[in-house]
Coordinates of all heavy atoms in Angstrom, one line a residue:
F1 N 0.9 -1.2 0.0 CA 0.0 0.0 0.0 C 0.9 1.2 0.0 O 1.4 1.6 1.1 CB -0.9 0.0 1.2 CG -1.8 -1.2 1.3 CD1 -1.4 -2.3 2.2 CD2 -2.9 -1.4 0.6 CE1 -2.1 -3.4 2.3 CE2 -3.7 -2.5 0.7 CZ -3.3 -3.6 1.5
L2 N 1.1 1.8 -1.2 CA 2.1 2.9 -1.4 C 1.3 4.2 -1.8 O 0.5 4.1 -2.7 CB 3.1 2.5 -2.4 CG 3.9 1.2 -2.0 CD1 4.9 0.8 -3.1 CD2 4.6 1.3 -0.7
G3 N 1.8 5.3 -1.3 CA 1.2 6.6 -1.7 C -0.3 6.7 -1.2 O -0.8 5.9 -0.5
E4 N -0.9 7.8 -1.7 CA -2.2 8.1 -1.3 C -3.2 7.1 -1.9 O -4.2 6.7 -1.3 CB -2.7 9.5 -1.8 CG -2.1 10.6 -1.0 CD -2.5 10.6 0.5 OE1 -3.7 10.3 0.7 OE2 -1.6 10.8 1.3
E5 N -2.9 6.6 -3.1 CA -3.8 5.5 -3.7 C -3.7 4.2 -2.8 O -4.7 3.6 -2.5 CB -3.3 5.2 -5.1 CG -4.2 4.1 -5.8 CD -3.8 3.9 -7.2 OE1 -3.0 4.7 -7.8 OE2 -4.4 2.9 -7.8
G6 N -2.4 3.9 -2.3 CA -2.3 2.7 -1.5 C -3.0 2.9 -0.2 O -3.6 2.0 0.4
L7 N -3.0 4.2 0.4 CA -3.7 4.5 1.6 C -5.2 4.2 1.5 O -5.9 3.7 2.3 CB -3.4 5.9 2.1 CG -2.1 6.1 2.9 CD1 -2.0 7.6 3.2 CD2 -2.1 5.3 4.2
T8 N -5.7 4.7 0.3 CA -7.2 4.6 0.0 C -7.5 3.1 -0.1 O -8.6 2.6 0.5 CB -7.5 5.3 -1.3 OG1 -7.3 6.7 -1.1 CG2 -9.0 5.1 -1.6
N9 N -6.7 2.3 -0.7 CA -6.9 0.9 -0.8 C -6.9 0.2 0.5 O -7.7 -0.7 0.8 CB -5.9 0.2 -1.8 CG -6.2 0.6 -3.2 OD1 -7.3 0.9 -3.6 ND2 -5.1 0.6 -4.0
L10 N -5.9 0.6 1.4 CA -5.8 0.0 2.7 C -7.1 0.3 3.5 O -7.7 -0.5 4.2 CB -4.6 0.5 3.4 CG -4.2 -0.1 4.7 CD1 -2.7 0.1 4.9 CD2 -4.9 0.5 5.9
L11 N -7.5 1.6 3.4 CA -8.7 2.0 4.1 C -9.9 1.2 3.6 O -10.8 0.8 4.5 CB -8.9 3.5 4.0 CG -10.3 4.1 4.5 CD1 -10.3 3.9 6.0 CD2 -10.4 5.5 4.2
K12 N -10.0 1.0 2.3 CA -11.1 0.2 1.8 C -11.1 -1.2 2.3 O -12.2 -1.7 2.7 CB -11.0 0.2 0.2 CG -12.2 -0.4 -0.5 CD -12.0 -0.5 -2.0 CE -11.8 0.9 -2.5 NZ -11.7 0.9 -4.0
I13 N -10.0 -1.8 2.4 CA -9.9 -3.2 3.0 C -10.3 -3.2 4.5 O -11.1 -4.0 4.9 CB -8.5 -3.8 2.8 CG1 -8.2 -4.0 1.3 CG2 -8.3 -5.0 3.6 CD1 -6.8 -4.5 1.0
A14 N -9.8 -2.2 5.2 CA -10.1 -2.1 6.6 C -11.6 -1.9 6.8 O -12.2 -2.6 7.7 CB -9.3 -1.0 7.3
G15 N -12.2 -1.1 6.0 CA -13.7 -0.9 6.2 C -14.5 -2.1 5.8 O -15.5 -2.4 6.4
L16 N -14.0 -2.8 4.7 CA -14.7 -4.0 4.3 C -14.6 -5.1 5.4 O -15.6 -5.8 5.7 CB -14.1 -4.5 3.0 CG -14.4 -3.8 1.8 CD1 -13.6 -4.2 0.6 CD2 -15.9 -3.8 1.5
V17 N -13.5 -5.2 6.1 CA -13.3 -6.2 7.2 C -14.2 -5.8 8.3 O -14.9 -6.7 8.9 CB -11.8 -6.3 7.6 CG1 -11.7 -7.0 8.9 CG2 -11.0 -6.9 6.5
L18 N -14.2 -4.6 8.7 CA -15.0 -4.1 9.8 C -16.5 -4.4 9.6 O -17.2 -5.0 10.4 CB -14.8 -2.6 10.0 CG -15.6 -1.9 11.1 CD1 -15.2 -2.5 12.5 CD2 -15.5 -0.4 11.1
N19 N -17.0 -4.1 8.4 CA -18.4 -4.2 8.1 C -18.8 -5.6 7.8 O -19.9 -6.1 8.1 CB -18.8 -3.3 7.0 CG -18.9 -1.8 7.5 OD1 -19.8 -1.4 8.0 ND2 -17.8 -1.1 7.2
A20 N -17.9 -6.4 7.1 CA -18.2 -7.7 6.8 C -18.3 -8.6 8.1 O -19.0 -9.6 8.2 CB -17.1 -8.3 5.9
L21 N -17.6 -8.2 9.2 CA -17.6 -9.0 10.4 C -18.7 -8.5 11.3 O -19.2 -9.3 12.2 CB -16.3 -8.9 11.1 CG -15.0 -9.6 10.5 CD1 -13.8 -9.3 11.3 CD2 -15.3 -11.0 10.4
A22 N -19.1 -7.3 11.3 CA -20.1 -6.7 12.2 C -21.4 -7.5 12.1 O -22.1 -7.8 13.0 CB -20.2 -5.3 12.0
L23 N -21.8 -7.8 10.8 CA -23.2 -8.4 10.6 C -23.2 -9.8 11.2 O -24.1 -10.1 12.0 CB -23.5 -8.4 9.1 CG -24.8 -9.1 8.7 CD1 -26.0 -8.4 9.5 CD2 -25.0 -9.0 7.2
P24 N -22.2 -10.7 10.9 CA -22.3 -12.1 11.5 C -22.1 -12.0 13.0 O -22.7 -12.8 13.7 CB -21.2 -12.8 10.8 CG -20.3 -11.8 10.2 CD -21.2 -10.7 9.8
F25 N -21.2 -11.1 13.5 CA -21.1 -11.0 14.9 C -22.4 -10.6 15.6 O -22.8 -11.2 16.6 CB -20.1 -9.9 15.2 CG -18.6 -10.3 15.1 CD1 -17.6 -9.4 14.8 CD2 -18.3 -11.7 15.3 CE1 -16.3 -9.8 14.7 CE2 -17.0 -12.1 15.1 CZ -16.0 -11.2 14.9
G26 N -23.2 -9.7 15.0 CA -24.5 -9.4 15.5 C -25.4 -10.6 15.6 O -26.2 -10.8 16.5
I27 N -25.4 -11.4 14.5 CA -26.3 -12.5 14.5 C -25.8 -13.6 15.5 O -26.7 -14.2 16.2 CB -26.3 -13.2 13.0 CG1 -26.9 -12.1 12.0 CG2 -27.1 -14.5 13.0 CD1 -26.8 -12.6 10.6
L28 N -24.5 -13.8 15.5 CA -24.0 -14.8 16.5 C -24.2 -14.4 17.9 O -24.3 -15.3 18.8 CB -22.5 -15.2 16.2 CG -22.3 -15.8 14.8 CD1 -20.8 -15.9 14.5 CD2 -22.8 -17.2 14.8
L29 N -24.1 -13.1 18.2 CA -24.2 -12.7 19.6 C -25.7 -12.7 20.1 O -25.9 -12.6 21.3 CB -23.6 -11.3 19.7 CG -22.1 -11.2 19.7 CD1 -21.6 -9.8 19.6 CD2 -21.5 -11.9 21.0
G30 N -26.6 -12.8 19.2 CA -28.1 -12.8 19.5 C -28.5 -13.8 20.6 O -29.0 -13.4 21.6

């Protein structure tokens, strides 16, 4: 992840991980 474009891609991955896990966590914690 290099330069501003790399930072944007890193942020995109981090956001996808956060949101992709929040939904199943919510279901499993029910």
Side-chain angles (χ1 to χ4, degrees):
F1 303 99
L2 304 174
E4 285 300 317
E5 182 177 350
L7 280 175
T8 299
N9 290 332
L10 190 155
L11 176 60
K12 189 182 298 186
I13 291 174
L16 289 171
V17 170
L18 177 67
N19 288 277
L21 290 176
L23 179 57
F25 279 153
I27 296 172
L28 293 173
L29 286 169

